[in-house]
Amino acid sequence: MNNIFRELKSQPLISGVTIVGTALSIFLIMVVVMLYNVNTIPFAPESKRDRLMHGQFIHIIGTNPDDNINMSMSASLSYLKELYDDMPGIEEVSYAIMELQRTDVKSVDSRPLTINLATVDDAFFRVFNFKILSGKPFDHAVSEAGIKEAVITESVARNVLGGTDVAGREILLHGIPYKVAAVVADISTLASNAYADVFISYNAVNRANETWGLGEKTPETGPFRAFLIRSNGVSAQEIKDETARRIEIINSRKRANDELEIVYHNQPFTQEEVIIPHGSNSTPDLAGERKQRYASYIILLLIPAINLSVITQSRLRRRVSEIGVRRAFGCTRSRVIIDVLNENMLVTLIGGIIGLILSVAFAWIYCNSTMPSFGILSSGSNVTAGMLINWPTLGIAVLACFFLNLLSAGVPAWRASRISPVEALGGLTR
C-alpha cells in the first residue's frame, strides 16, 4: 500500500488526471443509476416496491370483425375485484381511483388551498406505510359505509388547521365537511403511487359502482386501479399466470354474451415494468428497456475507460525498468498484471468515492429543484439522501469501479507483463 502511494506521489499530474477522470466517469454513471433507482428502489411510504404489483388498464376488442371495437382505459372496481380478490399469493390488495383530483380544502376560518385528492380504500394504508403523526387512517367499516373521513398530510394540516395534532377536527373539501381521521408525514412526489395531499374513501363520493365505455356491455371499464403486495416467496410470474387464467374465465363469458374479449397485457405489472412508458393498450417491453439501459451503462464506462487506459499506459511506461527487474528476479506475468490492477484499483476507488459523493449531491439538487411538484403545498420532490444511497446503489458503484479499473488498466497491465527483462532493463518498450 505504501509503495502504491509513493508511486502516485512520484507522478502527481498523471495520478491527479486519472483520479479526476475516474471521478467524472463514476459521477456520470451513478447519476443515471440514481435517477432510475428512485423509481424502483423501496423507500417510505413505498417500502414494499420489491413486492408491489399494479393492475392498471383494461383493453377490450370485438370478436366480430364488423364491429371494429377496440378500446382501452382504466378498469371498474367490480372487474378488479373479480380478478384480484382472494388471489393466492397476494398479501394485500388495495383499490383506488386512477387519477388524482384537483380540488380545494379549507377550514371554517381559513382560505381555500388547492390540493391533490386521492380516492382510495382502507387497504391503501396497509399497502403503503405512511408515517402517522396524529390519529389513525379510516378503517374498513368507515370506508365501506362511505363515512366522510379524510387523511391529510402535515402540510395541509399546518396550512389549514394550524398544526399536526388535529385528528378529529373538521375540514371542508370542495365545500363538503370531512372529519380528519389522521395526519401523515408529507409524501415525496417521487413516491408517485402513494402521493397525494388528502385521501378519502371512494365510497364517500359514490364512485364504487362507476363504469365507463359501452354501458352494460363493458362493466369492466371504469376509473379504478389496483395495488397488490405479493406474499414473500411468491414470484411475479405466478401472480401473472393466475391473472391470465381469471381473465380467460371472464373472456369465455364475454365472447358468448357480448362478442367482446379482454386482451391480456401481462398484468399486473411490477414496479420495474410500470415505470416503462406504455399505453393502456400495450405491454411494457421490459427486456428491451433493460437492454437499452445496460447498453447506456456500458457506453458510460467504455468511453472514459479508453481514455484512462492511455493515461495508465503512460504511467507504466516510466516504470519499464522496475518491471524488468522484477521479471528478471522471477516475477511472473500474472503477478505483474495483478499488481498493476491492484494499484489502479486504489486510484479508481479514490476517484469513485469522489464521483459518488458528487453524484449524490447532483441528484439531490436535481430532484429537489427540477422534478415536478404536483401540489402547491409541496416543494420539489422532497428527496432525501436515503432515497439515493442504499445497498443496491452502493453495489452498482463498486461494480462500476471494478469494471472501470479492469477496462482502463487491463490492456496496459497485459502489455507491461509481456515486456522481456532484457528489453526493459535496456529502457526499450514494444
Side-chain angles (χ1 to χ4, degrees):
M1 184 68 71
N2 290 333
N3 290 335
I4 294 176
F5 278 112
R6 275 199 303 271
E7 179 58 34
L8 294 178
K9 291 179 180 179
S10 68
Q11 303 181 67
L13 179 60
I14 293 178
S15 300
V17 170
T18 303
I19 290 173
V20 170
T22 302
L24 289 175
S25 302
I26 298 301
F27 166 77
L28 288 174
I29 191 170
M30 291 312 300
V31 165
V32 174
V33 168
M34 286 178 185
L35 293 180
Y36 173 81
N37 279 355
V38 292
N39 293 308
T40 57
I41 296 297
F43 61 83
E46 297 183 8
S47 301
K48 302 175 185 177
R49 277 181 171 177
D50 54 330
R51 296 187 288 135
L52 178 63
M53 301 190 75
H54 305 256
Q56 283 193 313
F57 302 115
I58 181 169
H59 182 197
I60 296 178
I61 60 174
T63 56
N64 185 343
D66 296 332
D67 290 341
N68 196 29
I69 296 175
N70 190 330
M71 56 186 295
S72 59
M73 60 188 70
S74 49
S76 68
L77 181 61
S78 59
Y79 169 72
L80 292 173
K81 282 180 173 289
E82 187 173 0
L83 278 188
Y84 301 124
D85 272 5
D86 303 317
M87 178 175 281
I90 293 299
E91 180 181 293
E92 194 70 69
V93 57
S94 170
Y95 305 106
I97 299 294
M98 187 80 177
E99 302 293 338
L100 296 178
Q101 177 185 351
R102 279 299 250 198
T103 188
D104 60 80
V105 60
K106 67 184 294 293
S107 66
V108 175
D109 54 358
S110 73
R111 293 180 178 180
L113 293 175
T114 302
I115 52 89
N116 286 303
L117 176 68
T119 313
V120 301
D121 60 7
D122 57 290
F124 189 84
F125 302 101
R126 297 190 292 274
V127 169
F128 303 109
N129 59 319
F130 297 90
K131 181 181 179 182
I132 310 297
L133 304 180
S134 173
K136 64 177 182 178
F138 49 79
D139 58 24
H140 184 69
V142 169
S143 178
E144 287 297 300
I147 297 173
K148 296 190 183 305
E149 291 191 2
V151 175
I152 63 177
T153 60
E154 60 179 306
S155 290
V156 173
R158 293 184 191 281
N159 281 273
V160 175
L161 298 172
T164 58
D165 189 15
V166 294
R169 292 181 61 181
E170 187 178 272
I171 59 173
L172 298 174
L173 283 170
H174 203 60
I176 300 172
Y178 279 78
K179 174 186 172 183
V180 176
V183 178
V184 298
D186 285 339
I187 304 151
S188 170
T189 53
L190 294 175
S192 57
N193 303 305
Y195 171 77
D197 298 310
V198 178
F199 306 85
I200 62 173
S201 166
Y202 52 73
N203 287 305
V205 287
N206 299 316
R207 300 197 68 179
N209 298 317
E210 188 172 342
T211 58
W212 299 345
L214 303 177
E216 293 183 358
K217 293 188 68 174
T218 54
E220 298 84 8
T221 61
F224 282 86
R225 69 184 300 178
F227 297 105
L228 302 89
I229 300 296
R230 300 196 311 274
S231 302
N232 288 316
V234 177
S235 70
Q237 192 57 51
E238 291 177 79
I239 303 302
K240 292 174 183 285
D241 291 343
E242 175 61 17
T243 302
R245 186 189 71 82
R246 294 188 177 196
I247 287 178
E248 185 53 37
I249 293 174
I250 298 172
N251 272 339
S252 64
R253 180 179 72 234
K254 291 196 70 63
R255 292 187 192 106
N257 298 334
D258 305 314
E259 294 188 320
L260 298 173
E261 68 178 9
I262 299 166
V263 182
Y264 175 58
H265 284 295
N266 207 33
Q267 291 198 55
F269 301 133
T270 63
Q271 181 66 19
E272 187 180 8
E273 290 172 322
V274 81
I275 65 172
I276 299 173
H278 64 281
S280 57
N281 60 347
S282 62
T283 304
D285 183 8
L286 182 59
E289 189 278 335
R290 283 178 173 173
K291 287 179 182 178
Q292 291 181 0
R293 180 156 42 93
Y294 296 155
S296 67
Y297 293 166
I298 292 172
I299 292 171
L300 287 172
L301 280 174
L302 191 58
I303 293 177
I306 294 172
N307 294 325
L308 291 172
S309 177
V310 176
I311 298 174
T312 303
Q313 182 68 38
S314 175
R315 190 170 73 243
L316 291 177
R317 190 175 290 116
R318 299 181 58 181
R319 299 174 56 193
V320 169
S321 298
E322 173 201 329
I323 294 173
V325 171
R326 293 181 60 193
R327 294 279 287 115
F329 279 90
C331 183
T332 63
R333 289 179 175 176
S334 60
R335 184 71 258 173
V336 171
I337 293 174
I338 291 172
D339 287 346
V340 172
L341 288 176
N342 285 341
E343 175 184 320
N344 202 71
M345 188 63 188
L346 178 62
V347 176
T348 304
L349 286 175
I350 294 172
I353 292 171
I354 296 172
L356 181 61
I357 294 171
L358 290 175
S359 64
V360 172
F362 177 85
W364 184 85
I365 293 170
Y366 176 82
C367 289
N368 278 308
S369 62
T370 64
M371 284 199 169
S373 172
F374 300 117
I376 63 168
L377 298 176
S378 59
S379 177
S381 55
N382 299 320
V383 69
T384 64
M387 298 177 189
L388 302 173
I389 294 294
N390 42 61
W391 289 116
T393 301
L394 291 175
I396 292 174
V398 172
L399 284 175
C401 288
F402 173 78
F403 283 111
L404 185 62
N405 175 58
L406 196 62
L407 291 169
S408 64
V411 173
W414 176 77
R415 293 186 64 183
S417 71
R418 293 181 60 83
I419 298 174
S420 70
V422 174
E423 291 177 326
L425 292 174
L428 301 174
T429 61
R430 292 185 177 181

